[in-house]
Amino acid sequence: MTALDVAREAGVSQSAVSRAFTPGASVSEKTRTRVLAAAEKLGYRPNPLARSLMHGRSGIVGVGVGNMENPFFVRTLELLATALDAAGLRLMLFPATRDHDAEPSLQEVLHYRIDALVLLSVNLSSNLADQCRKARVPVIHFNRTSADAGTSSIIGDNAAGARTIAAHLLAGGHRAMAYMAGTPDSSTNRQREEAFTAALLSAGLPAPIIEHGHFTHEGAMAATRRLLLREDRPDALFCANDTMALAAISVARHELGLDVGREISIVGYDDVPMAAWPGFALTTFSQPCEGMVARTVEMIEALRREPESHAHHVAQGALVVRSSTRPVVARAR
Amino acid sequence: MTALDVAREAGVSQSAVSRAFTPGASVSEKTRTRVLAAAEKLGYRPNPLARSLMHGRSGIVGVGVGNMENPFFVRTLELLATALDAAGLRLMLFPATRDHDAEPSLQEVLHYRIDALVLLSVNLSSNLADQCRKARVPVIHFNRTSADAGTSSIIGDNAAGARTIAAHLLAGGHRAMAYMAGTPDSSTNRQREEAFTAALLSAGLPAPIIEHGHFTHEGAMAATRRLLLREDRPDALFCANDTMALAAISVARHELGLDVGREISIVGYDDVPMAAWPGFALTTFSQPCEGMVARTVEMIEALRREPESHAHHVAQGALVVRSSTRPVVARAR
DNA sequence: TTGAAAGCGCTAACAT
DNA sequence: ATGTTAGCGCTTTCAA
């Protein structure tokens, strides 16, 4: 079924068919309905591939995802798939894991004349950033910021989150704090680490002990062991995401026999579904995933009509207190 | 950068450029290298959109995914993204959840002239199946079978898995068995349920008590409560996937105070990463995800050259015994 | 083997 | 407001 078939059926020219399917085109109401009826009858829909060949945009959004081990990104991906779908856009997924070099994949994706590129916690090499700029493909960093000019970003307020967590642990009477870092070169990790450290310092405490868990379960298990087998074992641990915090709970409880929430407090970040399970009851800072995804799609739509309208959005979250942290003690006066 | 630019640079015709990039085309080695050099220099790659306009295939594989709550499918998706990428194919993801009617999304995806459609535990309406057949788009069901003729499938050997689980529970001395079903209309659920029931019957036991958990965490929590608050409480529970089994462990242990692995045995299916966590130590039947994905991509490649070559593959798995089930007792003679 | 030329299904100037 | 025409970047006859 091509536009020509519909044109014949409706007794109009082929371009009339095209116009009938183009939002702001100059067609009389009469021909439009006539064409739409014929199209309906023949089961015709304009071919997006042919269409994109003309105006250089395919209606596809490229989405690069790194760590799918983290349920927060899985949820994000799921919401994004639904939201893009509702917006009439297609989602082209490509792997962007650290080991499997993402460059060739992304380059390939770029050839599909994508309307936008969304990166879920993935860094963009400056080389690729250049290519996107030249190809006029807007880039949106999700849960990460980038130094590249001209890109957009959606992040949570990491500094506020880290400060809230610090305050909660301090109020619980903790003094020996540790921070389990994610990948050191991610803005998300840096912002959380810096704000947490600053909050401790300004409370008159030393900087936290730091171990690197690389945002993964495996990495966090090893980091937890290093941390909790020290002579000067910390009694509070802030992990830069929930995936690591859940691993830390496992190790603390099952390998080291610690009573989590009494002998040691553990806090995460994201509030993934598992954090609420009774076996974990993880205190964590919740990020508003739905809202962040909605903002992402709004940005894409804005970028489609105004390619230079990049923006940076910071979403607010909230601390969800469960029993993996010591209850707040009444402050002595 | 178009083929014409490259043609000028190489001093050949534009069609020579096209031929240089077409695998079995008739070009002299001389011109081919000449063209490839020019392309390299100019950073040219043929535009897949324009290419697909001609031969009706876009190099995109549509992937529909239902339940992303299940880490097994997340892992499958991740592996599939990588494997397709390595095969030079793009992955177009669309939501196919039960509530959000997948028909319009899929229809839209079909317009991109996809090379194949992969459905991860998703049923295809016969209407859509028809459309795929007419559009000559091969359909591959992953972890599910379908009655539609002409579609392919990749599944695990559900009957063997269920029988192995039944044998394991019987060897543990259990006599009061329950089965937590997934969605009743899925082939996967039916096969597991039927084989489990048959195994019990042939051992002289009654059919298992059945409750429906719909393959979800929430559904499984409710089902577990119904099951374990009965007068005649079962002492062994086979859940049709790990997501439900983990929920069952949570409820049994934290809400009902049961000692999982002694007072009640719980078994899952899939062997997701969490099953190995010490807090769960879930006995489960492992499905070879990597192999199943590799097979899927092989099928796609076969289908690309031989559109009628649909096939059905059954992968073998293995029982992974952990401590959520009672140890096997030495049989009295 | 190679180049010229005719589309693939559509959009967008250009006429009318 | 509508039809005619010229492409978008590529593949594929058809001649040479």
Side-chain angles (χ1 to χ4, degrees):
Chain A
M1 277 308 123
T2 79
L4 197 60
D5 297 314
V6 178
R8 276 197 274 263
E9 173 74 27
V12 295
S13 78
Q14 188 261 45
S15 31
V17 176
S18 172
R19 284 193 264 261
F21 279 94
T22 307
S26 108
V27 223
S28 69
E29 199 47 43
K30 197 170 60 179
T31 32
R32 148 165 280 126
T33 48
R34 206 195 212 346
V35 168
L36 261 36
E40 172 80 3
K41 177 177 169 190
L42 271 52
Y44 166 85
R45 293 269 293 122
N47 180 335
L49 263 35
R51 174 177 281 197
S52 62
L53 198 52
M54 273 304 291
H55 54 232
R57 293 266 162 270
S58 61
I60 299 176
V61 172
V63 175
V65 52
N67 183 3
M68 288 243 247
E69 187 190 41
N70 185 344
F72 179 72
F73 294 119
V74 173
R75 177 97 185 105
T76 300
L77 182 59
E78 188 170 21
L79 290 169
L80 199 52
T82 309
L84 287 176
D85 191 70
L89 295 166
R90 302 298 110 209
L91 191 167
M92 186 173 277
L93 182 70
F94 66 95
T97 45
R98 178 167 305 276
D99 35 309
H100 164 281
D101 187 14
E103 301 241 349
S105 322
L106 176 48
Q107 222 132 15
E108 209 47 55
V109 169
L110 245 28
H111 279 112
Y112 280 83
R113 297 284 143 89
I114 55 179
D115 288 40
L117 178 65
V118 177
L119 296 171
L120 302 189
S121 221
V122 166
N123 286 333
L124 191 61
S125 73
S126 59
N127 170 27
L128 246 33
D130 269 7
Q131 290 206 23
C132 292
R133 194 168 316 118
K134 268 189 290 194
R136 313 200 140 283
V137 172
V139 176
I140 301 179
H141 289 273
F142 189 97
N143 209 44
R144 199 158 283 201
T145 53
S146 157
D148 300 306
T151 64
S152 299
S153 68
I154 313 260
I155 56 170
D157 191 340
N158 294 309
R163 276 194 301 268
T164 306
I165 288 169
H168 174 70
L169 292 175
L170 287 167
H174 292 286
R175 291 298 174 264
M177 313 272 202
Y179 174 73
M180 189 184 296
T183 49
D185 62 334
S186 80
S187 64
T188 303
N189 176 68
R190 270 201 312 277
Q191 292 170 354
R192 291 174 194 171
E193 176 173 335
E194 283 165 13
F196 187 60
T197 303
L200 297 191
L201 293 181
S202 76
L205 295 189
I209 304 171
I210 291 181
E211 283 289 354
H212 292 266
H214 304 282
F215 285 135
T216 68
H217 186 84
E218 275 295 307
M221 298 220 308
T224 306
R225 289 183 199 113
R226 288 196 298 272
L227 218 41
L228 301 187
L229 291 173
R230 297 168 60 110
E231 282 296 302
D232 56 337
R233 188 178 77 203
D235 61 1
L237 170 59
F238 166 27
C239 300
N241 75 2
D242 281 357
T243 297
M244 296 197 296
L246 295 171
I249 289 180
S250 277
V251 170
R253 179 179 296 151
H254 298 284
E255 290 186 16
L256 277 47
L258 294 174
D259 185 349
V260 174
R262 300 190 116 286
E263 293 173 276
I264 181 156
S265 287
I266 295 178
V267 186
Y269 211 103
D270 291 339
D271 195 23
V272 302
M274 251 184 293
W277 293 10
F280 299 109
L282 178 66
T283 295
T284 180
F285 197 84
S286 160
Q287 298 214 80
C289 197
E290 288 83 357
M292 289 169 74
V293 167
R295 273 272 170 290
T296 305
V297 176
E298 285 168 19
M299 268 194 193
I300 293 171
E301 290 180 318
L303 252 8
R304 270 160 57 95
R305 37 180 146 302
E306 194 65 75
E308 303 305 322
S309 63
H310 37 78
H312 298 273
H313 186 261
V314 179
Q316 297 304 316
L319 185 68
V320 180
V321 177
R322 299 200 182 92
S323 53
S324 71
T325 48
R326 217 142 72 183
V328 170
V329 295
R331 174 111 66 122
R333 306 197 117 228
Chain B
M1 276 310 122
T2 79
L4 198 58
D5 297 315
V6 178
R8 276 197 274 262
E9 173 74 27
V12 295
S13 77
Q14 187 262 54
S15 29
V17 176
S18 172
R19 284 193 262 260
F21 279 95
T22 305
S26 111
V27 223
S28 68
E29 199 47 43
K30 197 169 62 179
T31 32
R32 148 164 279 127
T33 49
R34 206 191 209 351
V35 167
L36 260 36
E40 172 80 4
K41 178 176 167 189
L42 270 52
Y44 165 87
R45 292 270 293 121
N47 180 334
L49 262 35
R51 175 177 282 198
S52 61
L53 198 52
M54 274 304 292
H55 55 231
R57 292 268 163 268
S58 61
I60 299 176
V61 172
V63 175
V65 51
N67 182 5
M68 288 245 246
E69 188 191 39
N70 185 345
F72 179 71
F73 294 120
V74 174
R75 176 97 184 105
T76 300
L77 182 60
E78 189 170 21
L79 290 169
L80 199 52
T82 308
L84 287 176
D85 191 71
L89 295 167
R90 302 298 111 210
L91 191 166
M92 186 173 277
L93 181 70
F94 67 95
T97 47
R98 178 165 307 273
D99 34 310
H100 164 282
D101 186 15
E103 302 240 351
S105 321
L106 176 49
Q107 222 133 15
E108 208 50 54
V109 168
L110 245 27
H111 280 113
Y112 280 82
R113 297 282 144 87
I114 55 178
D115 288 38
L117 179 64
V118 177
L119 296 171
L120 301 189
S121 221
V122 165
N123 285 333
L124 191 60
S125 74
S126 60
N127 169 29
L128 246 34
D130 269 7
Q131 290 206 23
C132 291
R133 195 167 318 117
K134 267 189 294 193
R136 314 199 142 284
V137 171
V139 176
I140 300 178
H141 289 273
F142 190 97
N143 209 43
R144 198 158 285 202
T145 54
S146 159
D148 299 306
T151 64
S152 299
S153 67
I154 312 261
I155 57 171
D157 190 339
N158 293 309
R163 276 194 301 267
T164 307
I165 288 170
H168 174 70
L169 292 175
L170 287 167
H174 293 286
R175 291 298 173 266
M177 313 271 203
Y179 173 73
M180 190 185 295
T183 50
D185 63 333
S186 80
S187 63
T188 303
N189 176 68
R190 269 200 313 276
Q191 291 170 353
R192 291 174 194 172
E193 176 174 333
E194 283 165 12
F196 186 60
T197 302
L200 298 192
L201 294 181
S202 76
L205 295 188
I209 304 170
I210 291 181
E211 284 289 352
H212 292 267
H214 304 283
F215 284 136
T216 68
H217 186 84
E218 276 294 309
M221 299 219 309
T224 306
R225 290 183 198 112
R226 289 195 296 273
L227 219 40
L228 301 188
L229 291 172
R230 298 168 60 109
E231 283 295 303
D232 57 337
R233 189 176 78 203
D235 62 0
L237 169 59
F238 166 28
C239 300
N241 75 2
D242 282 357
T243 298
M244 297 197 295
L246 295 171
I249 289 180
S250 277
V251 169
R253 179 180 296 153
H254 298 284
E255 290 185 18
L256 277 44
L258 294 174
D259 185 348
V260 174
R262 299 190 116 283
E263 293 174 276
I264 181 157
S265 286
I266 296 179
V267 186
Y269 211 104
D270 289 342
D271 194 24
V272 302
M274 250 184 293
W277 293 10
F280 298 108
L282 178 67
T283 294
T284 181
F285 197 84
S286 160
Q287 298 214 81
C289 198
E290 287 82 359
M292 290 168 74
V293 167
R295 274 274 169 291
T296 305
V297 176
E298 284 168 19
M299 269 193 193
I300 294 172
E301 291 180 316
L303 252 6
R304 268 160 57 96
R305 35 184 148 302
E306 196 63 76
E308 303 303 324
S309 63
H310 38 79
H312 299 273
H313 186 261
V314 180
Q316 296 305 316
L319 184 69
V320 180
V321 177
R322 299 201 182 91
S323 52
S324 70
T325 48
R326 216 144 72 184
V328 170
V329 295
R331 174 107 70 116
R333 305 196 121 230

